[in-house]
Amino acid sequence: MPRTLMLSLFFLLFQIAGLVTSIHAVLNTRTAQGAIAWVVSLNTLPVVSVPAYWVFGRSKFVGYVNTMKDSSLSMAVDREKAHASLSPYLIDQPENFAEYPAIRTLSNTPFMRGNRVELLIDGQNTYDGIEAGIKRARNYILFQFYILRADDSGNRFKKLLIEKARQGVAVHVLYDELGSGRFSHAWLSDFREAGVKIIPFNTTQGAWNRFQINFRNHRKIVVVDGRETWIGGLNIGDEYLGRDPKLSPWRDTHLHIQGPVSLVAQSIFWSDWYWADKKLLRHLNWEPEMAPGLQPGEGMDALILGSGPADDLETASLFFTTALNAAKKRIWIATPYFIPDEATTVALKLALLRGVDVRIITPRINDNWFVRHAANVYLSNLADMGARVYYYEKGFMHQKTILLDDGIALIGTVNFDNRSFRLNFEVTGAIADTGFASKVEQMLLHDLQNSTELKDYDLARQGFWERLKARGSALLSPVL
């Protein structure tokens, strides 16, 4: 066959694929603007756009919901037991959270009383706390991270988990294969030979999901015996201890929660494990207990929210928008990636119009060039309305923390960007307690001391190349 004919057939096939894919884009793309952009590109440059669409164009994680539905009968008994046992700990209305009814309806995850919450600042404190918890385990350990490295930090926890498995504790390890990369056969075999069950999240499993690589399971969850949990910004790797020469010191924040709300973190892991392994974890404890040493009526009110691209609604975006709209006095945001979607941008602008003290802390150095420059577009727009913008100077700040007024703190895995709001599986801890919020305030004040305020920041006054980098990078915000 002549070469020119082969090329003609090749381009014809892509043109047909572009047309067919355009129909899919019109029916499934989240916004009209996005649908128009895809239709134009798919029909003008199909050779590039068709593969790009099937990798980056999906907004829903295919298969996860159907897997949960397929297992609904076998999971129903455990789920009903768990819900019934938690009822004595549910909060009708936590203090300082007027928008709670919307949050409860959205998340189906209520605030619960009787918890003790510890603020863990940076890697050493977090790793030491998780290690101590693992050593306390008597029945089982659930260990899930977006990034799990086979370095000194990874080997530290590998040794601990293997020791517990040999003591008869059931150990389940779940990692995101896209975030963690590939492990050597020998490294994984050490776990399995000791009885530790370790598996990837399996994002691309299923015939229709081979190109489903734009989604991530970004959660970091550790649960011990259904009694305590750890969630927050830190993964398992040496860089989180400040050993990356380009991004050190590493600044991060984690939570250690004891009490009944730990069972919500457990249920999130439970669902993720079922998607990955297609086997239910039957040996878990679903009987809640107050944190040790607390009496009825004592402890902190806490909520744990799981969100992700398998949800019917855009849970993370709606949750944070609702929380921001509830603020009357203060919104302090610390995030490594600040690319808010339209809804959260509007909520922040409305807060500024109400006279709320809006402060945004983001690192000057960043591990993502595009995010670093795209953020300047959004920071400039909000600074123009009165938001105070700070660059964290003492290394790379990776924490995901929001302080609302004097009584609500949100800490978890959600970055302030479209990827976390819509494309990643995430987990967030919300603590409604003035004492805990005061500790978060002191932590953030210390971060502000290590930051430089960008007074009168205006992107329009920057040089041509800075403006071009910012505006150009912002075009990629839907997938950053």
Side-chain angles (χ1 to χ4, degrees), residues 20 34 52 64 70 77 130 160 181 217 220 298 312 426 440 476:
V20 174
Y64 191 101
D70 290 344
V77 174
I130 295 174
L160 285 166
N217 194 317
K220 298 94 175 168
E298 296 180 342
D312 291 335
E426 305 280 7
V440 174
L476 299 174

Side-chain angles (χ1 to χ4, degrees), residues 223-268:
V223 178
V224 170
D225 294 339
R227 298 286 180 248
E228 52 188 325
T229 187
W230 290 259
I231 62 173
L234 287 119
N235 289 291
I236 302 298
D238 288 348
E239 63 266 41
Y240 297 90
L241 294 176
R243 297 176 186 171
D244 184 325
K246 295 181 180 179
L247 298 174
S248 294
W250 190 284
R251 171 73 188 89
D252 223 322
T253 302
H254 225 75
L255 293 177
H256 172 215
I257 306 175
Q258 297 172 289
V261 80
S262 299
L263 294 183
V264 178
Q266 177 169 285
S267 70
I268 295 169

Side-chain angles (χ1 to χ4, degrees), residues 34 76 86 141 145 150 174 273 304 306 328 331 370 398 461 475:
L86 288 170
I141 299 164
F145 285 90
L174 184 63
W273 185 272
I304 292 179
K328 297 179 175 60
I331 299 172
F370 289 100
H398 187 252
R461 295 202 299 265
L475 294 176

Side-chain angles (χ1 to χ4, degrees), residues 3-235:
R3 184 178 179 183
T4 54
L5 181 58
M6 289 180 63
L7 287 174
S8 297
L9 288 174
F10 174 81
F11 285 109
L12 177 61
L13 288 173
F14 265 98
Q15 200 69 52
I16 294 171
L19 178 61
V20 174
T21 303
S22 296
I23 298 172
H24 188 278
V26 169
L27 294 174
N28 294 281
T29 303
R30 185 175 57 87
T31 64
Q33 298 95 320
I36 291 170
W38 277 118
V39 168
V40 171
S41 61
L42 286 165
N43 288 280
T44 57
L45 197 61
V47 174
V48 175
S49 299
V50 169
Y53 177 82
W54 290 108
V55 173
F56 299 109
R58 284 185 175 187
S59 60
K60 287 295 182 183
F61 189 93
V62 177
Y64 191 101
V65 173
N66 290 336
T67 298
M68 295 302 114
K69 288 178 179 177
D70 290 344
S71 66
S72 60
L73 291 177
S74 58
M75 297 174 85
V77 174
D78 288 341
R79 182 176 284 121
E80 288 176 7
K81 284 182 181 178
H83 286 179
S85 65
L86 288 170
S87 58
Y89 299 93
L90 304 186
I91 304 293
D92 291 331
Q93 179 71 50
E95 294 183 14
N96 308 312
F97 211 159
E99 300 295 327
Y100 177 54
I103 294 291
R104 182 166 182 172
T105 302
L106 169 68
S107 65
N108 197 29
T109 309
F111 271 91
M112 298 181 198
R113 60 174 62 88
N115 302 282
R116 179 180 288 114
V117 185
E118 180 184 6
L119 186 66
L120 299 173
I121 299 174
D122 292 337
Q124 196 62 57
N125 288 329
T126 300
Y127 285 4
D128 289 348
I130 295 174
E131 178 177 343
I134 289 173
K135 290 180 177 178
R136 286 192 293 269
R138 294 294 176 265
N139 299 305
Y140 61 88
I141 299 164
L142 312 179
F143 191 88
Q144 175 180 5
F145 285 90
Y146 170 59
I147 294 174
L148 175 61
R149 305 275 191 216
D151 55 15
D152 288 346
S153 296
N155 287 325
R156 170 186 180 179
F157 286 101
K158 173 184 170 183
K159 180 181 178 182
L160 285 166
L161 294 170
I162 286 175
E163 286 178 357
K164 296 305 291 188
R166 287 174 174 160
Q167 293 170 15
V169 174
V171 180
H172 300 269
V173 178
L174 184 63
Y175 62 91
D176 185 273
E177 68 272 28
L178 299 174
S180 298
R182 296 180 64 85
F183 297 117
S184 70
H185 177 75
W187 202 75
L188 292 175
S189 292
D190 290 342
F191 282 103
R192 290 165 180 158
E193 288 172 4
V196 174
K197 291 192 174 182
I198 178 169
I199 59 173
F201 182 64
N202 285 327
T203 303
T204 58
Q205 65 172 309
W208 296 99
N209 300 333
R210 297 305 178 196
F211 301 106
Q212 194 166 254
I213 62 174
N214 195 35
F215 301 103
R216 307 284 189 274
N217 194 317
H218 195 239
R219 292 169 178 156
K220 298 94 175 168
I221 299 173
V222 178
V223 178
V224 170
D225 294 339
R227 298 286 180 248
E228 52 188 325
T229 187
W230 290 259
I231 62 173
L234 287 119
N235 289 291

Side-chain angles (χ1 to χ4, degrees), residues 409-461:
L410 310 177
I411 297 173
T413 68
V414 178
N415 295 307
F416 224 80
D417 60 17
N418 187 69
R419 173 162 290 282
S420 276
F421 287 160
R422 294 186 175 84
L423 301 178
N424 288 346
F425 291 89
E426 305 280 7
V427 62
T428 302
I431 314 302
D433 183 85
T434 54
F436 183 81
S438 178
K439 293 180 181 179
V440 174
E441 177 186 29
Q442 293 305 310
M443 177 186 74
L444 293 179
L445 286 172
H446 186 265
D447 291 332
L448 289 172
Q449 292 175 0
N450 292 313
S451 304
T452 299
E453 184 172 2
L454 304 181
K455 293 185 180 294
D456 302 319
Y457 180 73
D458 186 351
L459 182 62
R461 295 202 299 265

